[in-house]
Amino acid sequence: MRRSPGARCLQAIWEALVSYGSFWICIPEAPEPGPPLAGPAPHHPERLCPELPLTTVERRLQEELCGRP
């Protein structure tokens, strides 16, 4: 199937823009690593309560994920 001259022109313009954009792409330097993550922030609704024992479902999930109680 033959394309019209306008479609061929648009295809050539598109390929030129893609090539130009890939040539002028800016790759920033990696940021400094931050502190290690330690769980949810204080007063977060999903904050763990160490004083409360795990429920049966939570214990089973912990065993599946960690392989230990």
Side-chain angles (χ1 to χ4, degrees):
M1 183 167 131
R2 299 186 73 179
R3 291 187 293 177
S4 68
R8 285 189 302 231
C9 182
L10 287 176
Q11 180 68 29
I13 291 172
W14 174 257
E15 290 174 3
L17 288 172
V18 169
S19 297
Y20 182 77
S22 64
F23 180 74
W24 290 104
I25 191 168
C26 175
I27 301 174
E29 293 183 21
E32 294 290 326
L37 299 177
H43 307 294
H44 190 277
E46 293 182 1
R47 182 87 177 154
L48 297 177
C49 298
E51 66 274 3
L52 295 176
L54 297 176
T55 65
T56 306
V57 174
E58 291 170 337
R59 269 195 306 273
R60 191 171 48 224
L61 289 172
Q62 183 181 23
E63 290 171 4
E64 287 180 20
L65 292 174
C66 301
R68 62 182 188 282

Short mmCIF file of all heavy atoms in Angstrom, two decimals:
data_model
loop_
_atom_site.label_atom_id
_atom_site.label_comp_id
_atom_site.label_asym_id
_atom_site.label_seq_id
_atom_site.Cartn_x
_atom_site.Cartn_y
_atom_site.Cartn_z
N MET A 1 0.85 -1.18 0.00
CA MET A 1 0.00 0.00 0.00
C MET A 1 0.90 1.24 0.00
O MET A 1 1.81 1.36 0.82
CB MET A 1 -0.88 -0.03 1.25
CG MET A 1 -1.83 1.09 1.31
SD MET A 1 -3.05 0.74 2.58
CE MET A 1 -3.01 2.25 3.45
N ARG A 2 0.62 2.13 -0.90
CA ARG A 2 1.43 3.34 -1.02
C ARG A 2 0.83 4.45 -0.16
O ARG A 2 -0.37 4.62 -0.10
CB ARG A 2 1.49 3.77 -2.46
CG ARG A 2 2.14 2.70 -3.35
CD ARG A 2 2.31 3.18 -4.72
NE ARG A 2 3.41 4.15 -4.70
CZ ARG A 2 3.87 4.78 -5.75
NH1 ARG A 2 3.33 4.57 -6.91
NH2 ARG A 2 4.86 5.61 -5.66
N ARG A 3 1.72 5.18 0.49
CA ARG A 3 1.26 6.32 1.28
C ARG A 3 1.35 7.59 0.47
O ARG A 3 2.15 7.70 -0.45
CB ARG A 3 2.11 6.45 2.54
CG ARG A 3 1.86 5.30 3.51
CD ARG A 3 2.57 5.52 4.79
NE ARG A 3 4.01 5.45 4.57
CZ ARG A 3 4.92 5.65 5.50
NH1 ARG A 3 4.55 5.92 6.72
NH2 ARG A 3 6.19 5.56 5.24
N SER A 4 0.56 8.55 0.85
CA SER A 4 0.56 9.83 0.15
C SER A 4 1.85 10.60 0.46
O SER A 4 2.51 10.34 1.47
CB SER A 4 -0.66 10.66 0.57
OG SER A 4 -0.53 11.05 1.91
N PRO A 5 2.20 11.56 -0.38
CA PRO A 5 3.41 12.35 -0.10
C PRO A 5 3.33 13.08 1.24
O PRO A 5 4.34 13.22 1.94
CB PRO A 5 3.47 13.35 -1.26
CG PRO A 5 2.66 12.74 -2.35
CD PRO A 5 1.62 11.91 -1.67
N GLY A 6 2.15 13.53 1.63
CA GLY A 6 2.01 14.21 2.92
C GLY A 6 2.29 13.27 4.09
O GLY A 6 2.93 13.66 5.07
N ALA A 7 1.81 12.02 3.99
CA ALA A 7 2.04 11.05 5.05
C ALA A 7 3.52 10.70 5.14
O ALA A 7 4.07 10.55 6.24
CB ALA A 7 1.22 9.79 4.80
N ARG A 8 4.19 10.58 3.99
CA ARG A 8 5.63 10.29 4.00
C ARG A 8 6.41 11.46 4.61
O ARG A 8 7.37 11.27 5.35
CB ARG A 8 6.11 10.01 2.59
CG ARG A 8 5.69 8.64 2.09
CD ARG A 8 6.39 8.32 0.80
NE ARG A 8 6.07 9.35 -0.19
CZ ARG A 8 5.64 9.12 -1.41
NH1 ARG A 8 5.49 7.88 -1.82
NH2 ARG A 8 5.38 10.09 -2.23
N CYS A 9 5.97 12.68 4.30
CA CYS A 9 6.63 13.87 4.86
C CYS A 9 6.46 13.92 6.38
O CYS A 9 7.41 14.18 7.11
CB CYS A 9 6.06 15.13 4.21
SG CYS A 9 6.84 16.65 4.76
N LEU A 10 5.24 13.65 6.85
CA LEU A 10 5.01 13.64 8.30
C LEU A 10 5.81 12.54 8.98
O LEU A 10 6.33 12.74 10.09
CB LEU A 10 3.51 13.48 8.58
CG LEU A 10 2.65 14.70 8.31
CD1 LEU A 10 1.18 14.36 8.53
CD2 LEU A 10 3.07 15.86 9.19
N GLN A 11 5.94 11.39 8.33
CA GLN A 11 6.73 10.30 8.90
C GLN A 11 8.20 10.72 9.01
O GLN A 11 8.85 10.46 10.01
CB GLN A 11 6.61 9.04 8.03
CG GLN A 11 7.40 7.86 8.54
CD GLN A 11 6.87 7.31 9.83
OE1 GLN A 11 5.69 7.38 10.12
NE2 GLN A 11 7.76 6.76 10.64
N ALA A 12 8.71 11.39 7.99
CA ALA A 12 10.11 11.84 8.02
C ALA A 12 10.31 12.90 9.11
O ALA A 12 11.33 12.88 9.82
CB ALA A 12 10.50 12.40 6.65
N ILE A 13 9.35 13.81 9.25
CA ILE A 13 9.45 14.83 10.31
C ILE A 13 9.41 14.16 11.68
O ILE A 13 10.19 14.51 12.57
CB ILE A 13 8.32 15.87 10.16
CG1 ILE A 13 8.55 16.71 8.90
CG2 ILE A 13 8.22 16.75 11.39
CD1 ILE A 13 7.40 17.64 8.54
N TRP A 14 8.53 13.20 11.87
CA TRP A 14 8.43 12.49 13.15
C TRP A 14 9.75 11.79 13.48
O TRP A 14 10.25 11.89 14.59
CB TRP A 14 7.28 11.48 13.09
CG TRP A 14 7.21 10.63 14.31
CD1 TRP A 14 7.62 9.35 14.44
CD2 TRP A 14 6.75 11.02 15.61
NE1 TRP A 14 7.44 8.89 15.72
CE2 TRP A 14 6.89 9.91 16.45
CE3 TRP A 14 6.22 12.20 16.11
CZ2 TRP A 14 6.53 9.97 17.79
CZ3 TRP A 14 5.86 12.24 17.46
CH2 TRP A 14 6.02 11.13 18.27
N GLU A 15 10.32 11.09 12.52
CA GLU A 15 11.59 10.39 12.77
C GLU A 15 12.71 11.37 13.09
O GLU A 15 13.56 11.10 13.93
CB GLU A 15 11.93 9.52 11.57
CG GLU A 15 11.01 8.32 11.41
CD GLU A 15 11.26 7.54 10.14
OE1 GLU A 15 12.19 7.89 9.38
OE2 GLU A 15 10.51 6.58 9.90
N ALA A 16 12.71 12.53 12.42
CA ALA A 16 13.73 13.54 12.70
C ALA A 16 13.57 14.09 14.12
O ALA A 16 14.56 14.28 14.84
CB ALA A 16 13.64 14.67 11.68
N LEU A 17 12.34 14.33 14.55
CA LEU A 17 12.12 14.84 15.91
C LEU A 17 12.50 13.80 16.97
O LEU A 17 13.06 14.15 18.01
CB LEU A 17 10.65 15.26 16.07
CG LEU A 17 10.24 16.54 15.34
CD1 LEU A 17 8.74 16.73 15.44
CD2 LEU A 17 10.99 17.74 15.89
N VAL A 18 12.20 12.55 16.70
CA VAL A 18 12.59 11.49 17.64
C VAL A 18 14.11 11.41 17.75
O VAL A 18 14.67 11.32 18.84
CB VAL A 18 11.98 10.14 17.21
CG1 VAL A 18 12.59 8.99 18.00
CG2 VAL A 18 10.48 10.16 17.39
N SER A 19 14.80 11.48 16.63
CA SER A 19 16.26 11.44 16.63
C SER A 19 16.83 12.65 17.35
O SER A 19 17.77 12.53 18.15
CB SER A 19 16.80 11.40 15.21
OG SER A 19 16.38 10.22 14.57
N TYR A 20 16.29 13.82 17.09
CA TYR A 20 16.75 15.04 17.75
C TYR A 20 16.51 14.97 19.26
O TYR A 20 17.38 15.32 20.05
CB TYR A 20 16.02 16.25 17.16
CG TYR A 20 16.45 17.57 17.75
CD1 TYR A 20 17.65 18.15 17.36
CD2 TYR A 20 15.68 18.23 18.69
CE1 TYR A 20 18.06 19.35 17.89
CE2 TYR A 20 16.08 19.43 19.23
CZ TYR A 20 17.27 20.00 18.83
OH TYR A 20 17.69 21.17 19.37
N GLY A 21 15.35 14.48 19.66
CA GLY A 21 15.05 14.37 21.09
C GLY A 21 15.93 13.37 21.80
O GLY A 21 16.36 13.57 22.93
N SER A 22 16.25 12.26 21.15
CA SER A 22 17.10 11.26 21.80
C SER A 22 18.55 11.75 21.88
O SER A 22 19.29 11.35 22.76
CB SER A 22 17.02 9.93 21.05
OG SER A 22 17.54 10.07 19.75
N PHE A 23 18.94 12.62 20.99
CA PHE A 23 20.29 13.16 21.02
C PHE A 23 20.46 14.18 22.13
O PHE A 23 21.49 14.26 22.77
CB PHE A 23 20.63 13.79 19.66
CG PHE A 23 22.00 14.38 19.59
CD1 PHE A 23 23.12 13.56 19.51
CD2 PHE A 23 22.19 15.75 19.63
CE1 PHE A 23 24.39 14.10 19.45
CE2 PHE A 23 23.45 16.29 19.57
CZ PHE A 23 24.56 15.47 19.48
N TRP A 24 19.43 14.98 22.39
CA TRP A 24 19.52 16.06 23.36
C TRP A 24 18.91 15.72 24.71
O TRP A 24 18.55 16.58 25.49
CB TRP A 24 18.86 17.33 22.82
CG TRP A 24 19.66 17.93 21.72
CD1 TRP A 24 19.38 17.86 20.39
CD2 TRP A 24 20.88 18.65 21.84
NE1 TRP A 24 20.35 18.51 19.68
CE2 TRP A 24 21.29 18.99 20.55
CE3 TRP A 24 21.68 19.02 22.91
CZ2 TRP A 24 22.45 19.71 20.29
CZ3 TRP A 24 22.83 19.73 22.66
CH2 TRP A 24 23.21 20.06 21.37
N ILE A 25 18.80 14.45 25.02
CA ILE A 25 18.21 14.07 26.30
C ILE A 25 19.20 14.36 27.44
O ILE A 25 20.40 14.20 27.28
CB ILE A 25 17.80 12.58 26.28
CG1 ILE A 25 16.95 12.26 27.49
CG2 ILE A 25 18.99 11.69 26.24
CD1 ILE A 25 16.27 10.92 27.40
N CYS A 26 18.70 14.81 28.54
CA CYS A 26 19.52 15.13 29.71
C CYS A 26 19.38 14.01 30.73
O CYS A 26 18.28 13.68 31.16
CB CYS A 26 19.07 16.45 30.31
SG CYS A 26 19.94 16.86 31.83
N ILE A 27 20.49 13.43 31.14
CA ILE A 27 20.49 12.39 32.17
C ILE A 27 21.10 12.99 33.43
O ILE A 27 22.32 13.20 33.50
CB ILE A 27 21.26 11.15 31.70
CG1 ILE A 27 20.65 10.61 30.43
CG2 ILE A 27 21.30 10.10 32.81
CD1 ILE A 27 21.40 9.47 29.80
N PRO A 28 20.28 13.32 34.44
CA PRO A 28 20.82 13.94 35.65
C PRO A 28 21.64 12.94 36.47
O PRO A 28 21.49 11.72 36.35
CB PRO A 28 19.57 14.38 36.40
CG PRO A 28 18.50 13.47 35.92
CD PRO A 28 18.84 13.12 34.50
N GLU A 29 22.50 13.48 37.31
CA GLU A 29 23.28 12.63 38.21
C GLU A 29 22.37 12.06 39.28
O GLU A 29 21.35 12.64 39.64
CB GLU A 29 24.39 13.44 38.86
CG GLU A 29 25.43 13.91 37.87
CD GLU A 29 26.56 14.66 38.56
OE1 GLU A 29 26.74 14.48 39.78
OE2 GLU A 29 27.25 15.41 37.87
N ALA A 30 22.76 10.91 39.80
CA ALA A 30 21.97 10.26 40.84
C ALA A 30 22.03 11.09 42.12
O ALA A 30 23.09 11.60 42.49
CB ALA A 30 22.50 8.86 41.10
N PRO A 31 20.90 11.25 42.82
CA PRO A 31 20.91 12.02 44.07
C PRO A 31 21.62 11.24 45.18
O PRO A 31 21.80 10.03 45.10
CB PRO A 31 19.42 12.20 44.39
CG PRO A 31 18.75 11.05 43.71
CD PRO A 31 19.57 10.76 42.48
N GLU A 32 22.01 11.97 46.19
CA GLU A 32 22.64 11.34 47.34
C GLU A 32 21.65 10.40 48.02
O GLU A 32 20.48 10.76 48.17
CB GLU A 32 23.10 12.41 48.35
CG GLU A 32 24.21 13.29 47.82
CD GLU A 32 25.52 12.55 47.70
OE1 GLU A 32 25.79 11.67 48.52
OE2 GLU A 32 26.26 12.85 46.74
N PRO A 33 22.08 9.23 48.44
CA PRO A 33 21.14 8.32 49.13
C PRO A 33 20.72 8.91 50.48
O PRO A 33 21.53 9.47 51.20
CB PRO A 33 21.93 7.03 49.30
CG PRO A 33 23.36 7.43 49.19
CD PRO A 33 23.42 8.65 48.32
N GLY A 34 19.45 8.79 50.77
CA GLY A 34 18.92 9.29 52.03
C GLY A 34 19.04 8.26 53.13
O GLY A 34 19.63 7.18 52.94
N PRO A 35 18.49 8.56 54.28
CA PRO A 35 18.55 7.59 55.38
C PRO A 35 17.69 6.36 55.04
O PRO A 35 16.75 6.45 54.26
CB PRO A 35 17.95 8.36 56.57
CG PRO A 35 17.11 9.42 55.95
CD PRO A 35 17.77 9.77 54.66
N PRO A 36 18.03 5.22 55.61
CA PRO A 36 17.23 4.02 55.32
C PRO A 36 15.80 4.18 55.82
O PRO A 36 15.54 4.86 56.82
CB PRO A 36 17.95 2.90 56.08
CG PRO A 36 18.79 3.60 57.10
CD PRO A 36 19.10 4.96 56.55
N LEU A 37 14.88 3.56 55.11
CA LEU A 37 13.48 3.65 55.49
C LEU A 37 13.23 2.81 56.74
O LEU A 37 13.77 1.72 56.89
CB LEU A 37 12.59 3.17 54.35
CG LEU A 37 12.71 3.96 53.05
CD1 LEU A 37 11.85 3.34 51.98
CD2 LEU A 37 12.32 5.40 53.28
N ALA A 38 12.40 3.33 57.63
CA ALA A 38 12.15 2.65 58.90
C ALA A 38 10.67 2.44 59.15
O ALA A 38 10.26 2.31 60.28
CB ALA A 38 12.77 3.45 60.04
N GLY A 39 9.86 2.43 58.13
CA GLY A 39 8.43 2.21 58.33
C GLY A 39 7.64 3.50 58.22
O GLY A 39 8.17 4.54 57.85
N PRO A 40 6.37 3.44 58.55
CA PRO A 40 5.51 4.62 58.45
C PRO A 40 5.95 5.74 59.41
O PRO A 40 6.58 5.49 60.43
CB PRO A 40 4.13 4.10 58.84
CG PRO A 40 4.19 2.63 58.68
CD PRO A 40 5.62 2.25 58.92
N ALA A 41 5.58 6.96 59.06
CA ALA A 41 5.92 8.12 59.88
C ALA A 41 5.13 8.09 61.20
O ALA A 41 4.12 7.40 61.32
CB ALA A 41 5.59 9.38 59.11
N PRO A 42 5.58 8.85 62.19
CA PRO A 42 4.84 8.91 63.45
C PRO A 42 3.40 9.38 63.21
O PRO A 42 3.15 10.21 62.35
CB PRO A 42 5.61 9.93 64.28
CG PRO A 42 6.96 9.98 63.68
CD PRO A 42 6.80 9.63 62.24
N HIS A 43 2.47 8.84 63.96
CA HIS A 43 1.04 9.16 63.90
C HIS A 43 0.39 8.72 62.59
O HIS A 43 -0.71 9.16 62.29
CB HIS A 43 0.80 10.65 64.15
CG HIS A 43 1.43 11.14 65.41
ND1 HIS A 43 1.04 10.72 66.66
CD2 HIS A 43 2.47 11.99 65.61
CE1 HIS A 43 1.79 11.31 67.57
NE2 HIS A 43 2.67 12.08 66.96
N HIS A 44 1.06 7.90 61.81
CA HIS A 44 0.47 7.36 60.59
C HIS A 44 -0.56 6.30 61.00
O HIS A 44 -0.33 5.55 61.95
CB HIS A 44 1.55 6.74 59.71
CG HIS A 44 1.08 6.36 58.35
ND1 HIS A 44 0.44 5.19 58.09
CD2 HIS A 44 1.16 7.03 57.18
CE1 HIS A 44 0.15 5.12 56.81
NE2 HIS A 44 0.57 6.23 56.23
N PRO A 45 -1.71 6.21 60.33
CA PRO A 45 -2.73 5.24 60.76
C PRO A 45 -2.28 3.79 60.67
O PRO A 45 -2.83 2.95 61.36
CB PRO A 45 -3.90 5.50 59.82
CG PRO A 45 -3.37 6.32 58.71
CD PRO A 45 -2.16 7.02 59.21
N GLU A 46 -1.26 3.49 59.89
CA GLU A 46 -0.78 2.12 59.79
C GLU A 46 0.48 1.88 60.62
O GLU A 46 1.19 0.92 60.42
CB GLU A 46 -0.52 1.77 58.32
CG GLU A 46 -1.79 1.74 57.51
CD GLU A 46 -1.54 1.35 56.07
OE1 GLU A 46 -0.38 1.07 55.72
OE2 GLU A 46 -2.50 1.31 55.31
N ARG A 47 0.75 2.77 61.56
CA ARG A 47 1.93 2.63 62.42
C ARG A 47 1.78 1.38 63.26
O ARG A 47 0.72 1.08 63.80
CB ARG A 47 2.05 3.86 63.31
CG ARG A 47 3.22 3.87 64.21
CD ARG A 47 4.39 4.46 63.50
NE ARG A 47 5.51 4.53 64.44
CZ ARG A 47 6.74 4.51 64.06
NH1 ARG A 47 7.03 4.46 62.79
NH2 ARG A 47 7.70 4.58 64.92
N LEU A 48 2.87 0.60 63.39
CA LEU A 48 2.83 -0.62 64.19
C LEU A 48 2.77 -0.29 65.68
O LEU A 48 3.37 0.67 66.14
CB LEU A 48 4.08 -1.47 63.90
CG LEU A 48 4.21 -1.96 62.47
CD1 LEU A 48 5.52 -2.72 62.31
CD2 LEU A 48 3.05 -2.83 62.09
N CYS A 49 2.06 -1.10 66.41
CA CYS A 49 1.96 -0.95 67.86
C CYS A 49 2.65 -2.16 68.50
O CYS A 49 2.04 -3.23 68.59
CB CYS A 49 0.50 -0.88 68.30
SG CYS A 49 -0.38 0.53 67.62
N PRO A 50 3.89 -2.03 68.94
CA PRO A 50 4.59 -3.18 69.48
C PRO A 50 3.97 -3.72 70.77
O PRO A 50 4.18 -4.88 71.12
CB PRO A 50 6.01 -2.66 69.73
CG PRO A 50 5.92 -1.19 69.71
CD PRO A 50 4.70 -0.82 68.92
N GLU A 51 3.18 -2.92 71.45
CA GLU A 51 2.58 -3.39 72.70
C GLU A 51 1.37 -4.31 72.45
O GLU A 51 0.92 -5.02 73.35
CB GLU A 51 2.17 -2.21 73.60
CG GLU A 51 1.07 -1.34 73.05
CD GLU A 51 1.53 -0.24 72.11
OE1 GLU A 51 2.72 -0.15 71.80
OE2 GLU A 51 0.66 0.52 71.70
N LEU A 52 0.82 -4.31 71.23
CA LEU A 52 -0.31 -5.18 70.91
C LEU A 52 0.19 -6.45 70.23
O LEU A 52 1.00 -6.40 69.31
CB LEU A 52 -1.28 -4.46 69.96
CG LEU A 52 -1.98 -3.23 70.50
CD1 LEU A 52 -2.83 -2.60 69.40
CD2 LEU A 52 -2.85 -3.59 71.68
N PRO A 53 -0.28 -7.61 70.67
CA PRO A 53 0.13 -8.86 70.02
C PRO A 53 -0.51 -8.98 68.64
O PRO A 53 -1.56 -8.40 68.37
CB PRO A 53 -0.39 -9.95 70.96
CG PRO A 53 -1.52 -9.31 71.69
CD PRO A 53 -1.19 -7.85 71.80
N LEU A 54 0.15 -9.75 67.77
CA LEU A 54 -0.38 -9.96 66.43
C LEU A 54 -1.62 -10.85 66.49
O LEU A 54 -1.71 -11.75 67.32
CB LEU A 54 0.66 -10.62 65.54
CG LEU A 54 1.93 -9.81 65.27
CD1 LEU A 54 2.90 -10.65 64.46
CD2 LEU A 54 1.60 -8.52 64.56
N THR A 55 -2.54 -10.60 65.57
CA THR A 55 -3.71 -11.48 65.47
C THR A 55 -3.29 -12.78 64.78
O THR A 55 -2.18 -12.90 64.27
CB THR A 55 -4.84 -10.81 64.67
OG1 THR A 55 -4.38 -10.63 63.33
CG2 THR A 55 -5.24 -9.47 65.27
N THR A 56 -4.20 -13.74 64.75
CA THR A 56 -3.90 -15.02 64.12
C THR A 56 -3.57 -14.83 62.63
O THR A 56 -2.61 -15.41 62.12
CB THR A 56 -5.10 -15.97 64.26
OG1 THR A 56 -5.45 -16.05 65.64
CG2 THR A 56 -4.79 -17.34 63.74
N VAL A 57 -4.34 -14.00 61.97
CA VAL A 57 -4.10 -13.75 60.54
C VAL A 57 -2.76 -13.05 60.34
O VAL A 57 -1.99 -13.40 59.44
CB VAL A 57 -5.26 -12.91 59.95
CG1 VAL A 57 -4.96 -12.50 58.52
CG2 VAL A 57 -6.57 -13.65 60.05
N GLU A 58 -2.46 -12.08 61.18
CA GLU A 58 -1.19 -11.36 61.06
C GLU A 58 -0.01 -12.29 61.32
O GLU A 58 1.01 -12.20 60.63
CB GLU A 58 -1.16 -10.18 62.03
CG GLU A 58 -2.12 -9.07 61.66
CD GLU A 58 -2.26 -8.01 62.73
OE1 GLU A 58 -1.99 -8.31 63.92
OE2 GLU A 58 -2.65 -6.88 62.39
N ARG A 59 -0.13 -13.18 62.30
CA ARG A 59 0.95 -14.14 62.56
C ARG A 59 1.16 -15.07 61.37
O ARG A 59 2.29 -15.35 60.98
CB ARG A 59 0.63 -14.97 63.81
CG ARG A 59 1.17 -14.36 65.08
CD ARG A 59 1.16 -15.36 66.22
NE ARG A 59 -0.14 -15.96 66.44
CZ ARG A 59 -1.11 -15.45 67.20
NH1 ARG A 59 -0.90 -14.32 67.82
NH2 ARG A 59 -2.26 -16.06 67.35
N ARG A 60 0.06 -15.54 60.77
CA ARG A 60 0.15 -16.42 59.62
C ARG A 60 0.81 -15.69 58.44
O ARG A 60 1.68 -16.24 57.75
CB ARG A 60 -1.23 -16.93 59.23
CG ARG A 60 -1.19 -18.04 58.22
CD ARG A 60 -2.52 -18.69 58.00
NE ARG A 60 -3.57 -17.68 57.80
CZ ARG A 60 -4.78 -17.73 58.37
NH1 ARG A 60 -5.11 -18.74 59.14
NH2 ARG A 60 -5.66 -16.80 58.16
N LEU A 61 0.44 -14.44 58.23
CA LEU A 61 1.06 -13.65 57.16
C LEU A 61 2.54 -13.42 57.43
O LEU A 61 3.37 -13.50 56.52
CB LEU A 61 0.34 -12.31 57.00
CG LEU A 61 -1.05 -12.36 56.40
CD1 LEU A 61 -1.71 -11.00 56.49
CD2 LEU A 61 -0.99 -12.84 54.96
N GLN A 62 2.89 -13.15 58.68
CA GLN A 62 4.29 -12.95 59.02
C GLN A 62 5.10 -14.22 58.78
O GLN A 62 6.21 -14.17 58.27
CB GLN A 62 4.43 -12.51 60.48
CG GLN A 62 5.87 -12.21 60.88
CD GLN A 62 6.00 -11.81 62.32
OE1 GLN A 62 5.15 -12.14 63.15
NE2 GLN A 62 7.06 -11.10 62.63
N GLU A 63 4.52 -15.37 59.12
CA GLU A 63 5.22 -16.64 58.88
C GLU A 63 5.42 -16.88 57.38
O GLU A 63 6.45 -17.36 56.96
CB GLU A 63 4.45 -17.78 59.51
CG GLU A 63 4.48 -17.79 61.01
CD GLU A 63 3.53 -18.82 61.63
OE1 GLU A 63 2.89 -19.58 60.85
OE2 GLU A 63 3.44 -18.87 62.85
N GLU A 64 4.41 -16.53 56.57
CA GLU A 64 4.53 -16.72 55.13
C GLU A 64 5.58 -15.79 54.53
O GLU A 64 6.34 -16.19 53.66
CB GLU A 64 3.18 -16.46 54.45
CG GLU A 64 2.14 -17.54 54.67
CD GLU A 64 0.82 -17.22 53.98
OE1 GLU A 64 0.83 -16.39 53.03
OE2 GLU A 64 -0.20 -17.77 54.39
N LEU A 65 5.63 -14.55 55.00
CA LEU A 65 6.55 -13.58 54.43
C LEU A 65 7.97 -13.74 54.94
O LEU A 65 8.92 -13.65 54.18
CB LEU A 65 6.05 -12.16 54.74
CG LEU A 65 4.76 -11.74 54.06
CD1 LEU A 65 4.30 -10.39 54.56
CD2 LEU A 65 4.93 -11.72 52.56
N CYS A 66 8.11 -13.99 56.22
CA CYS A 66 9.45 -14.05 56.83
C CYS A 66 9.96 -15.45 57.02
O CYS A 66 11.17 -15.65 57.21
CB CYS A 66 9.44 -13.31 58.16
SG CYS A 66 8.98 -11.58 58.02
N GLY A 67 9.08 -16.42 57.04
CA GLY A 67 9.51 -17.79 57.26
C GLY A 67 9.75 -18.12 58.72
O GLY A 67 10.34 -19.13 59.05
N ARG A 68 9.34 -17.24 59.60
CA ARG A 68 9.52 -17.47 61.05
C ARG A 68 8.41 -16.76 61.80
O ARG A 68 7.83 -15.80 61.29
CB ARG A 68 10.87 -16.99 61.52
CG ARG A 68 11.07 -15.51 61.33
CD ARG A 68 12.47 -15.09 61.78
NE ARG A 68 12.60 -13.67 61.79
CZ ARG A 68 12.78 -12.90 60.74
NH1 ARG A 68 12.82 -13.44 59.55
NH2 ARG A 68 12.91 -11.60 60.84
N PRO A 69 8.13 -17.16 63.02
CA PRO A 69 7.09 -16.48 63.80
C PRO A 69 7.52 -15.12 64.30
O PRO A 69 8.62 -14.75 64.29
CB PRO A 69 6.84 -17.42 64.98
CG PRO A 69 7.90 -18.45 64.94
CD PRO A 69 8.62 -18.34 63.63
#
